[in-house]
Amino acid sequence: MQLKLYDHRFFVQLLLLCWLTGCIDKIPLDTEGMVDLLVIEGSINNQPGPYTITIKRSGDFSEDQLAIPDPVTGAQVRIVASTGESSAMSEIDPGIYQTDDLNFRGEIGKSYHMEATLADGKTYRSLAEELLPVPPIEQVNFGTIKQEVLGDNNVISEEDFIRFSVDTRIPDDGKRHYLKWNFTGEYVFSEIGDPSVPLKPVRRCYVPDNIDLNKIVIFSGGDGARKELTKELLVKDLDNKFLITYCFHLFQQSLTPGAYAFWEKVEALVNRSGSLFEVPPGRIDGNIINPDEPDEEVLGYFYATAVDDVRFFVQRRDIEDVVIFNNCNNADPELLALCLNCLLVTNSTLEKPPYWED
């Protein structure tokens, strides 16, 4: 299965901008010199390409400015291996570049960096990142839990959630290992019968679910000792997406120490409680530089990773002793339109994925 890291494309940039502009806590910041920064983000892995690099400018987030990112177009971009081979990249959308050579593929043991020359002639490159091996996924687990939720009128109630975790084995190879997990989902959305059209068939749509794009799950450890690791990945609402079948896509990635340090700071930023007494996360330094102007501040990170991936299906019959409400029983007119025509659900399709298990 080809890995698509679309969640990184805008995610890192948004987090960095939030950190710089203080959108998590309303704390005055000195924004002098923090205007129109370049943001470069991307990765290469050992699964078939193409691979993607995104180049944007942060926009003006000085006082009274909105800080809307602008795509950087017309750049010449390529990914280069330590052994000399490379692939040029074409701009498929404003500021989004993909490798041209479909035979160009990341290999374990090689190092990779990106190079970008902008339309104004400025050149940027990342530090080299080694593509390290990743241990295989042993098993994906799930179970239901109850958690207290603060609802309307400040009333606390217990609601059902589903929790996913992964089992993996850290090898006893004398090295410290750094891992990251990405995940996406898909679910079946079934129409209800339309009383005004009795003979109309009821259709099923297949809908992608981005889950929680702000969820950062990483691990550092091993130090040479074999370790059986169970890592909690996600706690998710047990809603009508689980009425029929839910498909959980999990990607387990290797990281270099530098990439891990970057994501560790991003994780600290995302998980901040907002307390005035909390120690703020350190500066989120990336690995992108301007060789001709070393003092120029550039945001973002380019990394290399090996990937092991798995699909895990949850059927409604697998979830016991839990009531899942069908939102299509709601009389809301806007929701009713979706229930009568599942193609109105964002990004839905009637085409059943070839790997789907009913």
Side-chain angles (χ1 to χ4, degrees):
M1 177 180 177
Q2 178 178 334
L3 178 65
K4 300 288 189 181
L5 297 180
Y6 293 125
D7 54 323
H8 295 173
R9 198 175 282 172
F10 304 106
F11 169 67
V12 174
Q13 179 179 350
L14 177 60
L15 290 174
L16 291 169
L17 292 177
C18 285
W19 165 60
L20 291 169
T21 58
C23 69
I24 294 178
D25 302 316
K26 292 184 179 179
I27 300 174
L29 295 177
D30 179 8
T31 59
E32 182 180 357
M34 295 185 180
V35 176
D36 198 30
L37 298 179
L38 191 67
V39 183
I40 300 179
E41 185 274 328
S43 63
I44 184 173
N45 59 70
N46 63 332
Q47 296 192 339
Y51 311 112
T52 302
I53 289 176
T54 300
I55 307 179
K56 290 179 176 285
R57 291 197 179 276
S58 63
D60 183 355
F61 49 88
S62 58
E63 187 175 359
D64 299 326
Q65 298 297 322
L66 189 57
I68 299 175
D70 294 318
V72 174
T73 61
Q76 297 178 11
V77 187
R78 66 174 185 155
I79 297 176
V80 184
S82 55
T83 47
E85 64 268 26
S86 66
S87 176
M89 309 184 78
S90 296
E91 189 170 7
I92 60 169
D93 282 311
I96 300 175
Y97 301 83
Q98 278 192 349
T99 47
D100 296 330
D101 184 357
L102 296 181
N103 293 319
F104 183 74
R105 183 170 178 171
E107 297 181 37
I108 292 173
K110 292 184 179 181
S111 296
Y112 296 86
H113 72 273
M114 60 75 56
E115 298 176 354
T117 300
L118 307 191
D120 62 6
K122 282 191 173 184
T123 298
Y124 300 85
R125 63 176 293 162
S126 68
L127 302 180
E129 286 269 306
E130 183 180 357
L131 203 157
L132 300 172
V134 64
I137 296 170
E138 298 285 337
Q139 183 173 298
V140 178
N141 315 292
F142 81 95
T144 59
I145 60 172
K146 291 186 179 293
Q147 289 187 349
E148 291 186 341
V149 176
L150 182 63
D152 297 335
N153 301 320
N154 293 323
V155 176
I156 296 177
S157 62
E158 274 197 341
E159 294 186 7
D160 293 305
F161 291 81
I162 187 167
R163 176 169 56 193
F164 292 97
S165 65
V166 61
D167 294 340
T168 190
R169 185 176 300 163
I170 306 302
D172 53 349
D173 56 4
K175 300 177 181 178
R176 190 170 186 85
H177 289 261
Y178 304 90
L179 302 177
K180 183 178 185 297
W181 291 269
N182 286 359
F183 30 80
T184 62
E186 292 175 276
Y187 64 94
V188 176
F189 185 92
S190 180
E191 296 176 345
I192 60 175
D194 187 347
S196 65
V197 189
L199 298 181
K200 180 184 176 183
V202 173
R203 303 176 299 180
R204 285 185 171 186
C205 284
Y206 300 86
V207 187
D209 184 18
N210 288 328
I211 311 183
D212 186 355
L213 299 186
N214 287 335
K215 183 71 173 178
I216 306 295
V217 185
I218 53 178
F219 167 80
S220 168
D223 293 330
R226 181 169 173 165
K227 178 180 178 64
E228 304 294 333
L229 173 67
T230 296
K231 184 72 173 179
E232 181 179 292
L233 300 171
L234 181 73
V235 175
K236 180 174 174 55
D237 294 341
L238 197 52
D239 54 22
N240 67 313
K241 295 176 182 178
F242 292 89
L243 276 172
I244 303 175
T245 303
Y246 192 94
C247 179
F248 185 72
H249 300 259
L250 176 63
F251 308 98
Q252 183 165 289
Q253 305 176 46
S254 61
L255 296 178
T256 63
Y260 176 83
F262 174 82
W263 286 111
E264 186 178 37
K265 289 182 179 179
V266 173
E267 179 191 34
L269 172 64
V270 172
N271 293 334
R272 289 187 70 194
S273 67
S275 167
L276 290 176
F277 301 100
E278 182 178 9
V279 177
R283 175 189 178 92
I284 304 182
D285 292 320
N287 67 346
I288 313 294
I289 62 171
N290 178 343
D292 300 319
E293 300 178 30
D295 293 333
E296 180 181 355
E297 184 176 7
V298 184
L299 304 181
Y301 207 97
F302 175 84
Y303 69 101
T305 177
V307 178
D308 188 38
D309 62 280
V310 68
R311 296 188 188 94
F312 181 80
F313 289 86
V314 179
Q315 311 287 349
R316 176 62 185 93
R317 61 180 176 267
D318 299 326
I319 306 173
E320 300 177 350
D321 303 323
V322 173
V323 176
I324 302 178
F325 294 98
N326 188 345
N327 289 345
C328 284
N329 295 330
N330 191 314
D332 181 271
E334 182 177 348
L335 186 59
L336 180 60
L338 301 178
C339 297
L340 295 176
N341 181 4
C342 64
L343 288 176
L344 296 178
V345 180
T346 303
N347 295 326
S348 63
T349 178
L350 293 173
E351 184 176 352
K352 183 178 181 179
Y355 52 79
W356 199 264
E357 297 180 7
D358 289 317

